[in-house]
Amino acid sequence: MQKGDVVKSLKGRDQGHIYAVIRIENGLAYLADGRNRTVQNPKKKNEKHLEVLASTQDFVAKDTDIRKYCKI
């Protein structure tokens, strides 16, 4: 898993939601979906509770771009 990946939550209250990975630190992924979870207020989630759906080469951490990536 790396910055810019589009992931699906497998566990927790947000199970099934699609997010973009903003950054990874100490085994935790910081996620945003561009609407409820923005780049300024990302969700922390353990990496093992996520499934990678796609990778993006030209990732830009803006909420408008993240909304496009999360519409898979």
PDB file of all heavy atoms in Angstrom, residues 3-4 20-23 30-34 37-42 56-67 69:
ATOM      1  N   LYS A   3       0.923   5.834  -0.957  1.00  0.00           N
ATOM      2  CA  LYS A   3       0.173   7.069  -1.129  1.00  0.00           C
ATOM      3  C   LYS A   3      -0.471   7.080  -2.519  1.00  0.00           C
ATOM      4  O   LYS A   3       0.157   6.741  -3.513  1.00  0.00           O
ATOM      5  CB  LYS A   3       1.125   8.256  -0.991  1.00  0.00           C
ATOM      6  CG  LYS A   3       0.490   9.582  -1.193  1.00  0.00           C
ATOM      7  CD  LYS A   3       1.513  10.669  -1.050  1.00  0.00           C
ATOM      8  CE  LYS A   3       0.919  12.002  -1.411  1.00  0.00           C
ATOM      9  NZ  LYS A   3       1.879  13.089  -1.262  1.00  0.00           N
ATOM     10  N   GLY A   4      -1.736   7.432  -2.566  1.00  0.00           N
ATOM     11  CA  GLY A   4      -2.439   7.509  -3.837  1.00  0.00           C
ATOM     12  C   GLY A   4      -3.275   6.290  -4.169  1.00  0.00           C
ATOM     13  O   GLY A   4      -4.058   6.327  -5.112  1.00  0.00           O
ATOM     14  N   ALA A  20      -9.212   7.251  -0.550  1.00  0.00           N
ATOM     15  CA  ALA A  20      -7.884   7.407  -1.139  1.00  0.00           C
ATOM     16  C   ALA A  20      -6.889   7.542   0.008  1.00  0.00           C
ATOM     17  O   ALA A  20      -7.176   8.191   1.014  1.00  0.00           O
ATOM     18  CB  ALA A  20      -7.827   8.644  -2.024  1.00  0.00           C
ATOM     19  N   VAL A  21      -5.720   6.931  -0.139  1.00  0.00           N
ATOM     20  CA  VAL A  21      -4.678   6.997   0.888  1.00  0.00           C
ATOM     21  C   VAL A  21      -3.928   8.314   0.741  1.00  0.00           C
ATOM     22  O   VAL A  21      -3.363   8.605  -0.317  1.00  0.00           O
ATOM     23  CB  VAL A  21      -3.705   5.803   0.775  1.00  0.00           C
ATOM     24  CG1 VAL A  21      -2.606   5.910   1.812  1.00  0.00           C
ATOM     25  CG2 VAL A  21      -4.455   4.488   0.909  1.00  0.00           C
ATOM     26  N   ILE A  22      -3.918   9.108   1.799  1.00  0.00           N
ATOM     27  CA  ILE A  22      -3.226  10.393   1.811  1.00  0.00           C
ATOM     28  C   ILE A  22      -1.774  10.217   2.227  1.00  0.00           C
ATOM     29  O   ILE A  22      -0.867  10.770   1.625  1.00  0.00           O
ATOM     30  CB  ILE A  22      -3.920  11.374   2.785  1.00  0.00           C
ATOM     31  CG1 ILE A  22      -5.382  11.555   2.415  1.00  0.00           C
ATOM     32  CG2 ILE A  22      -3.203  12.707   2.814  1.00  0.00           C
ATOM     33  CD1 ILE A  22      -5.602  12.068   1.022  1.00  0.00           C
ATOM     34  N   ARG A  23      -1.559   9.425   3.280  1.00  0.00           N
ATOM     35  CA  ARG A  23      -0.186   9.116   3.747  1.00  0.00           C
ATOM     36  C   ARG A  23      -0.238   7.871   4.614  1.00  0.00           C
ATOM     37  O   ARG A  23      -1.304   7.437   5.039  1.00  0.00           O
ATOM     38  CB  ARG A  23       0.422  10.291   4.483  1.00  0.00           C
ATOM     39  CG  ARG A  23      -0.199  10.624   5.806  1.00  0.00           C
ATOM     40  CD  ARG A  23       0.521  11.809   6.474  1.00  0.00           C
ATOM     41  NE  ARG A  23       0.042  12.021   7.804  1.00  0.00           N
ATOM     42  CZ  ARG A  23      -0.974  12.813   8.129  1.00  0.00           C
ATOM     43  NH1 ARG A  23      -1.608  13.484   7.202  1.00  0.00           N
ATOM     44  NH2 ARG A  23      -1.341  12.942   9.386  1.00  0.00           N
ATOM     45  N   TYR A  30      -3.786   7.057   6.487  1.00  0.00           N
ATOM     46  CA  TYR A  30      -4.628   8.237   6.633  1.00  0.00           C
ATOM     47  C   TYR A  30      -5.442   8.359   5.355  1.00  0.00           C
ATOM     48  O   TYR A  30      -4.884   8.461   4.263  1.00  0.00           O
ATOM     49  CB  TYR A  30      -3.776   9.481   6.883  1.00  0.00           C
ATOM     50  CG  TYR A  30      -3.149   9.463   8.256  1.00  0.00           C
ATOM     51  CD1 TYR A  30      -2.005   8.729   8.520  1.00  0.00           C
ATOM     52  CD2 TYR A  30      -3.725  10.167   9.306  1.00  0.00           C
ATOM     53  CE1 TYR A  30      -1.433   8.690   9.783  1.00  0.00           C
ATOM     54  CE2 TYR A  30      -3.165  10.140  10.574  1.00  0.00           C
ATOM     55  CZ  TYR A  30      -2.021   9.404  10.803  1.00  0.00           C
ATOM     56  OH  TYR A  30      -1.475   9.370  12.057  1.00  0.00           O
ATOM     57  N   LEU A  31      -6.773   8.325   5.491  1.00  0.00           N
ATOM     58  CA  LEU A  31      -7.673   8.191   4.353  1.00  0.00           C
ATOM     59  C   LEU A  31      -8.588   9.394   4.210  1.00  0.00           C
ATOM     60  O   LEU A  31      -8.977  10.014   5.201  1.00  0.00           O
ATOM     61  CB  LEU A  31      -8.547   6.941   4.550  1.00  0.00           C
ATOM     62  CG  LEU A  31      -7.830   5.660   4.929  1.00  0.00           C
ATOM     63  CD1 LEU A  31      -8.843   4.593   5.300  1.00  0.00           C
ATOM     64  CD2 LEU A  31      -6.952   5.194   3.798  1.00  0.00           C
ATOM     65  N   ALA A  32      -8.946   9.681   2.959  1.00  0.00           N
ATOM     66  CA  ALA A  32      -9.915  10.737   2.668  1.00  0.00           C
ATOM     67  C   ALA A  32     -10.812  10.281   1.530  1.00  0.00           C
ATOM     68  O   ALA A  32     -10.381   9.528   0.659  1.00  0.00           O
ATOM     69  CB  ALA A  32      -9.197  12.023   2.291  1.00  0.00           C
ATOM     70  N   ASP A  33     -12.063  10.733   1.572  1.00  0.00           N
ATOM     71  CA  ASP A  33     -12.975  10.435   0.468  1.00  0.00           C
ATOM     72  C   ASP A  33     -13.412  11.705  -0.259  1.00  0.00           C
ATOM     73  O   ASP A  33     -14.124  11.643  -1.241  1.00  0.00           O
ATOM     74  CB  ASP A  33     -14.193   9.647   0.934  1.00  0.00           C
ATOM     75  CG  ASP A  33     -15.096  10.397   1.889  1.00  0.00           C
ATOM     76  OD1 ASP A  33     -14.818  11.574   2.196  1.00  0.00           O
ATOM     77  OD2 ASP A  33     -16.087   9.806   2.345  1.00  0.00           O
ATOM     78  N   GLY A  34     -12.975  12.862   0.217  1.00  0.00           N
ATOM     79  CA  GLY A  34     -13.275  14.124  -0.444  1.00  0.00           C
ATOM     80  C   GLY A  34     -14.577  14.764  -0.022  1.00  0.00           C
ATOM     81  O   GLY A  34     -14.831  15.914  -0.329  1.00  0.00           O
ATOM     82  N   ARG A  37     -14.740  12.833   4.764  1.00  0.00           N
ATOM     83  CA  ARG A  37     -13.359  12.847   5.247  1.00  0.00           C
ATOM     84  C   ARG A  37     -12.513  13.595   4.237  1.00  0.00           C
ATOM     85  O   ARG A  37     -12.263  13.125   3.136  1.00  0.00           O
ATOM     86  CB  ARG A  37     -12.828  11.425   5.417  1.00  0.00           C
ATOM     87  CG  ARG A  37     -13.426  10.701   6.578  1.00  0.00           C
ATOM     88  CD  ARG A  37     -13.060  11.404   7.860  1.00  0.00           C
ATOM     89  NE  ARG A  37     -13.566  10.681   9.008  1.00  0.00           N
ATOM     90  CZ  ARG A  37     -13.118  10.878  10.225  1.00  0.00           C
ATOM     91  NH1 ARG A  37     -12.168  11.751  10.456  1.00  0.00           N
ATOM     92  NH2 ARG A  37     -13.641  10.203  11.218  1.00  0.00           N
ATOM     93  N   THR A  38     -12.101  14.805   4.611  1.00  0.00           N
ATOM     94  CA  THR A  38     -11.325  15.644   3.710  1.00  0.00           C
ATOM     95  C   THR A  38      -9.835  15.469   3.966  1.00  0.00           C
ATOM     96  O   THR A  38      -9.435  14.790   4.914  1.00  0.00           O
ATOM     97  CB  THR A  38     -11.712  17.123   3.901  1.00  0.00           C
ATOM     98  OG1 THR A  38     -11.421  17.496   5.246  1.00  0.00           O
ATOM     99  CG2 THR A  38     -13.180  17.357   3.609  1.00  0.00           C
ATOM    100  N   VAL A  39      -9.028  16.100   3.137  1.00  0.00           N
ATOM    101  CA  VAL A  39      -7.573  16.039   3.287  1.00  0.00           C
ATOM    102  C   VAL A  39      -7.153  16.676   4.620  1.00  0.00           C
ATOM    103  O   VAL A  39      -6.219  16.215   5.264  1.00  0.00           O
ATOM    104  CB  VAL A  39      -6.883  16.746   2.101  1.00  0.00           C
ATOM    105  CG1 VAL A  39      -5.386  16.823   2.303  1.00  0.00           C
ATOM    106  CG2 VAL A  39      -7.209  16.022   0.806  1.00  0.00           C
ATOM    107  N   GLN A  40      -7.863  17.708   5.061  1.00  0.00           N
ATOM    108  CA  GLN A  40      -7.542  18.373   6.330  1.00  0.00           C
ATOM    109  C   GLN A  40      -7.964  17.550   7.537  1.00  0.00           C
ATOM    110  O   GLN A  40      -7.440  17.748   8.634  1.00  0.00           O
ATOM    111  CB  GLN A  40      -8.214  19.751   6.406  1.00  0.00           C
ATOM    112  CG  GLN A  40      -7.701  20.759   5.423  1.00  0.00           C
ATOM    113  CD  GLN A  40      -8.292  20.582   4.037  1.00  0.00           C
ATOM    114  OE1 GLN A  40      -9.342  19.960   3.869  1.00  0.00           O
ATOM    115  NE2 GLN A  40      -7.612  21.106   3.037  1.00  0.00           N
ATOM    116  N   ASN A  41      -8.923  16.638   7.373  1.00  0.00           N
ATOM    117  CA  ASN A  41      -9.421  15.820   8.474  1.00  0.00           C
ATOM    118  C   ASN A  41      -9.501  14.350   8.036  1.00  0.00           C
ATOM    119  O   ASN A  41     -10.592  13.793   7.914  1.00  0.00           O
ATOM    120  CB  ASN A  41     -10.805  16.332   8.903  1.00  0.00           C
ATOM    121  CG  ASN A  41     -11.327  15.611  10.105  1.00  0.00           C
ATOM    122  OD1 ASN A  41     -10.562  15.116  10.925  1.00  0.00           O
ATOM    123  ND2 ASN A  41     -12.636  15.522  10.223  1.00  0.00           N
ATOM    124  N   PRO A  42      -8.339  13.701   7.814  1.00  0.00           N
ATOM    125  CA  PRO A  42      -8.357  12.323   7.320  1.00  0.00           C
ATOM    126  C   PRO A  42      -8.714  11.314   8.404  1.00  0.00           C
ATOM    127  O   PRO A  42      -8.608  11.592   9.603  1.00  0.00           O
ATOM    128  CB  PRO A  42      -6.927  12.101   6.833  1.00  0.00           C
ATOM    129  CG  PRO A  42      -6.111  13.001   7.684  1.00  0.00           C
ATOM    130  CD  PRO A  42      -6.981  14.206   7.949  1.00  0.00           C
ATOM    131  N   THR A  56      -3.007   4.963  -8.304  1.00  0.00           N
ATOM    132  CA  THR A  56      -2.986   6.103  -9.206  1.00  0.00           C
ATOM    133  C   THR A  56      -1.566   6.612  -9.327  1.00  0.00           C
ATOM    134  O   THR A  56      -0.843   6.701  -8.335  1.00  0.00           O
ATOM    135  CB  THR A  56      -3.903   7.235  -8.710  1.00  0.00           C
ATOM    136  OG1 THR A  56      -3.472   7.620  -7.398  1.00  0.00           O
ATOM    137  CG2 THR A  56      -5.342   6.797  -8.660  1.00  0.00           C
ATOM    138  N   GLN A  57      -1.155   6.938 -10.522  1.00  0.00           N
ATOM    139  CA  GLN A  57       0.191   7.430 -10.772  1.00  0.00           C
ATOM    140  C   GLN A  57       0.299   8.926 -10.501  1.00  0.00           C
ATOM    141  O   GLN A  57       1.283   9.393  -9.976  1.00  0.00           O
ATOM    142  CB  GLN A  57       0.589   7.149 -12.226  1.00  0.00           C
ATOM    143  CG  GLN A  57       0.615   5.680 -12.567  1.00  0.00           C
ATOM    144  CD  GLN A  57       1.685   4.928 -11.815  1.00  0.00           C
ATOM    145  OE1 GLN A  57       2.725   5.480 -11.481  1.00  0.00           O
ATOM    146  NE2 GLN A  57       1.429   3.663 -11.530  1.00  0.00           N
ATOM    147  N   ASP A  58      -0.717   9.677 -10.868  1.00  0.00           N
ATOM    148  CA  ASP A  58      -0.680  11.136 -10.777  1.00  0.00           C
ATOM    149  C   ASP A  58      -1.565  11.646  -9.636  1.00  0.00           C
ATOM    150  O   ASP A  58      -2.462  12.437  -9.839  1.00  0.00           O
ATOM    151  CB  ASP A  58      -1.109  11.755 -12.096  1.00  0.00           C
ATOM    152  CG  ASP A  58      -2.479  11.265 -12.552  1.00  0.00           C
ATOM    153  OD1 ASP A  58      -2.963  10.255 -12.013  1.00  0.00           O
ATOM    154  OD2 ASP A  58      -3.065  11.913 -13.426  1.00  0.00           O
ATOM    155  N   PHE A  59      -1.294  11.182  -8.433  1.00  0.00           N
ATOM    156  CA  PHE A  59      -2.121  11.518  -7.278  1.00  0.00           C
ATOM    157  C   PHE A  59      -1.861  12.939  -6.822  1.00  0.00           C
ATOM    158  O   PHE A  59      -0.724  13.348  -6.635  1.00  0.00           O
ATOM    159  CB  PHE A  59      -1.844  10.552  -6.129  1.00  0.00           C
ATOM    160  CG  PHE A  59      -2.661  10.842  -4.906  1.00  0.00           C
ATOM    161  CD1 PHE A  59      -4.009  10.561  -4.883  1.00  0.00           C
ATOM    162  CD2 PHE A  59      -2.086  11.425  -3.797  1.00  0.00           C
ATOM    163  CE1 PHE A  59      -4.777  10.831  -3.761  1.00  0.00           C
ATOM    164  CE2 PHE A  59      -2.845  11.694  -2.671  1.00  0.00           C
ATOM    165  CZ  PHE A  59      -4.180  11.393  -2.660  1.00  0.00           C
ATOM    166  N   VAL A  60      -2.928  13.702  -6.667  1.00  0.00           N
ATOM    167  CA  VAL A  60      -2.868  15.061  -6.126  1.00  0.00           C
ATOM    168  C   VAL A  60      -3.818  15.097  -4.946  1.00  0.00           C
ATOM    169  O   VAL A  60      -4.975  14.714  -5.068  1.00  0.00           O
ATOM    170  CB  VAL A  60      -3.295  16.111  -7.173  1.00  0.00           C
ATOM    171  CG1 VAL A  60      -3.256  17.497  -6.588  1.00  0.00           C
ATOM    172  CG2 VAL A  60      -2.416  16.014  -8.400  1.00  0.00           C
ATOM    173  N   ALA A  61      -3.318  15.533  -3.803  1.00  0.00           N
ATOM    174  CA  ALA A  61      -4.119  15.513  -2.576  1.00  0.00           C
ATOM    175  C   ALA A  61      -5.038  16.727  -2.489  1.00  0.00           C
ATOM    176  O   ALA A  61      -4.854  17.620  -1.685  1.00  0.00           O
ATOM    177  CB  ALA A  61      -3.211  15.435  -1.366  1.00  0.00           C
ATOM    178  N   LYS A  62      -6.056  16.752  -3.352  1.00  0.00           N
ATOM    179  CA  LYS A  62      -7.106  17.773  -3.297  1.00  0.00           C
ATOM    180  C   LYS A  62      -8.441  17.044  -3.208  1.00  0.00           C
ATOM    181  O   LYS A  62      -8.627  16.000  -3.830  1.00  0.00           O
ATOM    182  CB  LYS A  62      -7.095  18.652  -4.545  1.00  0.00           C
ATOM    183  CG  LYS A  62      -5.926  19.600  -4.604  1.00  0.00           C
ATOM    184  CD  LYS A  62      -6.192  20.666  -5.654  1.00  0.00           C
ATOM    185  CE  LYS A  62      -5.349  20.375  -6.870  1.00  0.00           C
ATOM    186  NZ  LYS A  62      -5.595  21.296  -7.971  1.00  0.00           N
ATOM    187  N   ASP A  63      -9.367  17.605  -2.443  1.00  0.00           N
ATOM    188  CA  ASP A  63     -10.662  16.953  -2.232  1.00  0.00           C
ATOM    189  C   ASP A  63     -11.416  16.718  -3.541  1.00  0.00           C
ATOM    190  O   ASP A  63     -12.049  15.683  -3.719  1.00  0.00           O
ATOM    191  CB  ASP A  63     -11.521  17.765  -1.265  1.00  0.00           C
ATOM    192  CG  ASP A  63     -10.975  17.715   0.149  1.00  0.00           C
ATOM    193  OD1 ASP A  63     -10.451  16.662   0.538  1.00  0.00           O
ATOM    194  OD2 ASP A  63     -11.071  18.728   0.856  1.00  0.00           O
ATOM    195  N   THR A  64     -11.335  17.656  -4.474  1.00  0.00           N
ATOM    196  CA  THR A  64     -12.058  17.485  -5.741  1.00  0.00           C
ATOM    197  C   THR A  64     -11.500  16.315  -6.543  1.00  0.00           C
ATOM    198  O   THR A  64     -12.258  15.565  -7.166  1.00  0.00           O
ATOM    199  CB  THR A  64     -11.995  18.769  -6.590  1.00  0.00           C
ATOM    200  OG1 THR A  64     -10.630  19.144  -6.773  1.00  0.00           O
ATOM    201  CG2 THR A  64     -12.756  19.889  -5.921  1.00  0.00           C
ATOM    202  N   ASP A  65     -10.178  16.139  -6.533  1.00  0.00           N
ATOM    203  CA  ASP A  65      -9.565  15.012  -7.245  1.00  0.00           C
ATOM    204  C   ASP A  65      -9.861  13.692  -6.550  1.00  0.00           C
ATOM    205  O   ASP A  65     -10.086  12.676  -7.202  1.00  0.00           O
ATOM    206  CB  ASP A  65      -8.057  15.208  -7.368  1.00  0.00           C
ATOM    207  CG  ASP A  65      -7.695  16.380  -8.258  1.00  0.00           C
ATOM    208  OD1 ASP A  65      -8.510  16.718  -9.147  1.00  0.00           O
ATOM    209  OD2 ASP A  65      -6.620  16.962  -8.065  1.00  0.00           O
ATOM    210  N   ILE A  66      -9.868  13.696  -5.237  1.00  0.00           N
ATOM    211  CA  ILE A  66     -10.120  12.481  -4.470  1.00  0.00           C
ATOM    212  C   ILE A  66     -11.540  11.981  -4.728  1.00  0.00           C
ATOM    213  O   ILE A  66     -11.760  10.779  -4.838  1.00  0.00           O
ATOM    214  CB  ILE A  66      -9.883  12.720  -2.967  1.00  0.00           C
ATOM    215  CG1 ILE A  66      -8.381  12.915  -2.733  1.00  0.00           C
ATOM    216  CG2 ILE A  66     -10.421  11.585  -2.124  1.00  0.00           C
ATOM    217  CD1 ILE A  66      -8.019  13.346  -1.347  1.00  0.00           C
ATOM    218  N   ARG A  67     -12.503  12.883  -4.870  1.00  0.00           N
ATOM    219  CA  ARG A  67     -13.877  12.468  -5.184  1.00  0.00           C
ATOM    220  C   ARG A  67     -13.936  11.695  -6.487  1.00  0.00           C
ATOM    221  O   ARG A  67     -14.670  10.726  -6.605  1.00  0.00           O
ATOM    222  CB  ARG A  67     -14.797  13.685  -5.247  1.00  0.00           C
ATOM    223  CG  ARG A  67     -15.243  14.126  -3.890  1.00  0.00           C
ATOM    224  CD  ARG A  67     -16.268  15.241  -3.982  1.00  0.00           C
ATOM    225  NE  ARG A  67     -15.769  16.291  -3.115  1.00  0.00           N
ATOM    226  CZ  ARG A  67     -15.661  17.561  -3.425  1.00  0.00           C
ATOM    227  NH1 ARG A  67     -16.051  17.993  -4.586  1.00  0.00           N
ATOM    228  NH2 ARG A  67     -15.171  18.420  -2.568  1.00  0.00           N
ATOM    229  N   TYR A  69     -11.419   9.869  -7.819  1.00  0.00           N
ATOM    230  CA  TYR A  69     -10.770   8.565  -7.604  1.00  0.00           C
ATOM    231  C   TYR A  69     -11.664   7.603  -6.837  1.00  0.00           C
ATOM    232  O   TYR A  69     -11.625   6.401  -7.079  1.00  0.00           O
ATOM    233  CB  TYR A  69      -9.456   8.727  -6.838  1.00  0.00           C
ATOM    234  CG  TYR A  69      -8.389   9.498  -7.574  1.00  0.00           C
ATOM    235  CD1 TYR A  69      -7.678  10.504  -6.942  1.00  0.00           C
ATOM    236  CD2 TYR A  69      -8.073   9.217  -8.889  1.00  0.00           C
ATOM    237  CE1 TYR A  69      -6.693  11.209  -7.596  1.00  0.00           C
ATOM    238  CE2 TYR A  69      -7.107   9.921  -9.561  1.00  0.00           C
ATOM    239  CZ  TYR A  69      -6.406  10.915  -8.903  1.00  0.00           C
ATOM    240  OH  TYR A  69      -5.426  11.598  -9.567  1.00  0.00           O
TER     241      TYR A  69
END
